[in-house]
Amino acid sequence: MKIRNGFVSNSSSSSFVVKKEGLNELQIYAIHNHIEIVNKMIFPEWTAEEHPDGAWSIIECDTVIELSTSMDNFDMEFFLNKIGVPKENIS
């Protein structure tokens, strides 16, 4: 069996589990409101073709935030990095 270590960039679905430990309220707000945040911010790395238009399903629990999408139209890994979520918090 092969195990992929890392993120699939051309998949039609994706999911992340983000540990809340060490995240601040602004980061948690930004995750829940990711489309609104990106529409108000300028990320030069995102071209017009890559501009996010797909919202993610977000479930917040006591210790983690679960994110999933059936259509990967939003580069969540890039976004989490831009809002300062430590890579070790993401699985």
Side-chain angles (χ1 to χ4, degrees):
M1 175 169 82
K2 290 184 178 181
I3 298 175
R4 183 172 191 110
N5 197 5
F7 298 97
V8 178
S9 61
N10 62 351
S11 175
S12 62
S13 66
S14 292
S15 62
F16 294 91
V17 175
V18 179
K19 291 185 227 173
K20 289 171 52 177
E21 180 181 343
L23 299 186
N24 61 45
E25 289 182 29
L26 184 58
Q27 290 169 316
I28 293 171
Y29 175 86
I31 291 169
H32 281 285
N33 299 281
H34 56 282
I35 298 294
E36 175 188 346
I37 297 297
V38 169
N39 285 336
K40 291 182 179 179
M41 299 176 76
I42 297 173
F43 293 143
E45 296 88 345
W46 251 323
T47 65
E49 295 80 33
E50 296 169 322
H51 188 274
D53 59 5
W56 284 57
S57 170
I58 300 168
I59 299 171
E60 185 173 349
C61 302
D62 289 339
T63 60
V64 298
I65 301 172
E66 299 172 4
L67 305 120
S68 63
T69 182
S70 61
M71 199 58 194
D72 193 0
N73 293 332
F74 184 96
D75 191 342
M76 186 59 77
E77 178 187 13
F78 176 82
F79 180 72
L80 293 172
N81 180 268
K82 282 295 184 186
I83 65 170
V85 175
K87 287 189 183 261
E88 59 271 12
N89 281 38
I90 305 169
S91 61

